[in-house]
Amino acid sequence: MNFMIINHKNAKKVIQKNACLLLIILVGIGIRIFGIKEVGITDYDTAYYANIAKVPIFTSDWFFTTDYEDRTLESLRQYLINRGCGVSIVKPGHIFLIFISFLIFGVTDYAIFLNSIFSSIGVIILTYLIGKKLFNKSVALMGSALIAVSSQNIIYARTGYPQADTTLLFCILFFFVYQHFISIHRSKYFWYSSIIAGILFLFHQSAIIALMPLLVVMLFDFMIFKDKKKKDCVVDCIFFISISSSIIFLSNLLINFINSLNPIEAQALSDRLLLTTVYRALGYFGVSIEKIIFYPRMFWVLEGPLVTFLIIISLLYIAWKAYKIRSINLITISLITIFPLLFWIINYTTLKGIQVLMPFISICVGVFVFDCVENIKKRKTNDH
């Protein structure tokens, strides 16, 4: 009885202490889940991912049902074609999560979207945790609040696209790899982040671009933390790349084998990943007025003039402050936002590509607003 009273008191304290965060999460859930059953599949990509995710379920149905006496590979292939599942596996990590959602909620349209919704709510929570870890609670709350009401995040949370779960996984990766940045020795977080990096390649290729600045920070971490040795940083990068590459290689072998059973000709996962990434990295290279104004224009339409202005000013402010103070927190978040943004601007302007950056852009806005408020308070205090 006493134990229950103590737990009740502790739970009450936790709720009171995190009331603002809980309110942000509830608002985020409400916006994303409202009317989700009526949304329906309206784009080709969502239907494609759903068809792949249904293959294990329909295969099980084919195997256990008594209606099929001829249980050969050819009859299975024909059965899958008839059910609309004659497609090759792409973005296997995302598809696996949709498959899990099908198992829990049934093979329905809204089960596809629930995967993205849960991932999007996870992004709100991770934005708070990262913002608090790097800066403070006020910055974390502002960043998570901005993500909770972000039109882009909401739109992708209500589709079958892989942007929401890719962003969530990248935030988890960042949280772990940052723990490694501020540690002198190679800790468990380094190994966690290396494994997640390999898994991340099985989602959306935009994460590859966002991952590059983290490798740069990892390589030159000895210049920020004097206790770290240059040799250790180089070895860290070698281990990180080796572990993540091994996961990609093994996943590629497994998925290519599964694709070999496909009733239609399937492209190797590694070929698709390489061609898609390289093509979009180099195939659209160039600078134009249309490209430069693409993101400001999209932000203006989707997030509003005020948020657009805050994002532009905040990114410039963070870059300036990182150069001035040389803080690992500011340097990391500056590199992880500005350089991928520049990459997408000069190569392939798309809202899909920058979704993994949005939690960190939101944190940048939180830092800028917090510093502005603090400076105003200091001036008022000095005046008095």
Side-chain angles (χ1 to χ4, degrees):
M1 186 67 179
N2 290 334
F3 176 76
M4 293 178 65
I5 293 172
I6 292 172
N7 278 346
H8 176 72
K9 289 181 178 178
N10 289 339
K12 190 175 180 180
K13 286 181 181 178
V14 170
I15 292 172
Q16 289 175 344
K17 187 178 180 180
N18 299 285
C20 291
L21 176 61
L22 291 173
L23 178 61
I24 291 169
I25 293 171
L26 289 174
V27 170
I29 292 173
I31 295 173
R32 286 157 178 77
I33 210 163
F34 179 77
I36 195 64
K37 285 189 175 183
E38 285 73 45
V39 173
I41 298 175
T42 57
D43 61 273
Y44 173 81
D45 285 4
T46 298
Y48 192 92
Y49 298 139
N51 283 339
I52 304 173
K54 288 186 288 187
V55 168
I57 296 172
F58 288 156
T59 301
S60 176
D61 175 63
W62 169 85
F63 186 80
F64 289 105
T65 184
T66 56
D67 296 339
Y68 296 90
E69 297 180 359
D70 182 21
R71 300 189 193 283
T72 62
L73 186 59
E74 286 302 319
S75 67
L76 172 60
R77 287 177 174 176
Q78 189 58 49
Y79 176 75
L80 292 176
I81 290 174
N82 294 339
R83 300 300 295 266
C85 296
V87 289
S88 59
I89 297 176
V90 295
K91 299 178 176 59
H94 175 62
I95 290 165
F96 177 75
L97 292 181
I98 294 177
F99 167 66
I100 297 298
S101 185
F102 280 157
L103 291 181
I104 297 172
F105 303 105
V107 183
T108 59
D109 290 353
Y110 68 86
I112 306 168
F113 307 138
L114 285 175
N115 164 60
S116 296
I117 289 173
F118 290 138
S119 297
S120 182
I121 299 303
V123 169
I124 295 172
I125 298 170
L126 261 296
T127 302
Y128 173 82
L129 293 176
I130 293 170
K132 188 177 179 182
K133 187 72 177 178
L134 268 63
F135 301 104
N136 56 59
K137 187 175 181 178
S138 298
V139 169
L141 287 172
M142 283 186 278
S144 57
L146 189 57
I147 277 291
V149 298
S150 167
S151 294
Q152 295 178 67
N153 195 276
I154 293 167
I155 289 169
Y156 283 108
R158 292 167 65 88
T159 69
Y161 285 96
Q163 268 56 49
D165 43 30
T166 304
T167 304
L168 174 62
L169 196 61
F170 184 76
C171 286
I172 296 171
L173 165 65
F174 179 90
F175 192 81
F176 285 149
V177 82
Y178 174 78
Q179 297 286 350
H180 170 67
F181 289 162
I182 60 176
S183 302
I184 297 175
H185 303 291
R186 200 176 295 123
S187 66
K188 60 183 179 182
Y189 297 108
F190 172 80
W191 306 111
Y192 294 162
S193 61
S194 301
I195 294 169
I196 293 173
I199 298 172
L200 193 60
F201 281 77
L202 305 179
F203 285 78
H204 194 265
Q205 64 271 9
S206 59
I208 302 172
I209 311 304
L211 188 60
M212 294 302 143
L214 293 181
L215 285 173
V216 172
V217 176
M218 186 181 295
L219 182 60
F220 294 100
D221 202 15
F222 67 92
M223 298 178 66
I224 304 169
F225 285 95
K226 302 304 179 182
D227 293 331
K228 285 196 172 184
K229 297 179 180 179
K230 184 187 296 185
K231 180 182 176 182
D232 292 336
C233 292
V234 173
V235 172
D236 286 345
C237 285
I238 293 172
F239 276 149
F240 189 90
I241 294 171
S242 299
I243 293 170
S244 57
S245 299
S246 299
I247 294 172
I248 298 167
F249 176 75
L250 294 173
S251 300
N252 182 60
L253 291 178
L254 175 62
I255 291 160
N256 286 346
F257 169 74
I258 297 172
N259 275 340
S260 68
L261 305 176
N262 201 311
I264 62 172
E265 186 176 353
Q267 184 181 25
L269 179 68
S270 57
D271 293 344
R272 182 180 177 85
L273 182 65
L274 181 64
L275 288 172
T276 304
T277 306
V278 172
Y279 180 68
R280 290 182 177 175
L282 302 175
Y284 295 90
F285 184 84
V287 179
S288 65
I289 298 298
E290 184 179 1
K291 283 187 173 184
I292 293 171
I293 67 173
F294 176 80
Y295 287 119
R297 185 177 61 189
M298 289 295 100
F299 279 119
W300 187 282
V301 172
L302 295 171
E303 310 296 351
L306 177 60
V307 174
T308 303
F309 172 78
L310 283 173
I311 287 174
I312 295 171
I313 296 298
S314 299
L315 292 176
L316 295 173
Y317 173 75
I318 288 293
W320 169 80
K321 192 174 181 181
Y323 175 77
K324 184 179 179 181
I325 299 177
R326 307 295 172 88
S327 161
I328 181 67
N329 300 354
L330 291 167
I331 291 172
T332 304
I333 202 165
S334 177
L335 289 174
I336 209 174
T337 51
I338 294 175
F339 282 97
L341 264 177
L342 291 174
F343 171 86
W344 288 114
I345 288 172
I346 64 175
N347 287 288
Y348 186 71
T349 46
T350 170
L351 287 176
K352 291 180 183 179
I354 67 167
Q355 292 313 300
V356 292
L357 310 179
M358 288 307 297
F360 305 94
I361 292 174
S362 299
I363 292 171
C364 289
V365 172
V367 172
F368 174 71
V369 173
F370 177 80
D371 285 358
C372 287
V373 172
E374 289 299 305
N375 286 331
I376 292 171
K377 287 180 179 178
K378 286 180 182 178
R379 288 185 181 181
K380 286 185 177 180
T381 303
N382 293 334
D383 290 341
H384 290 299

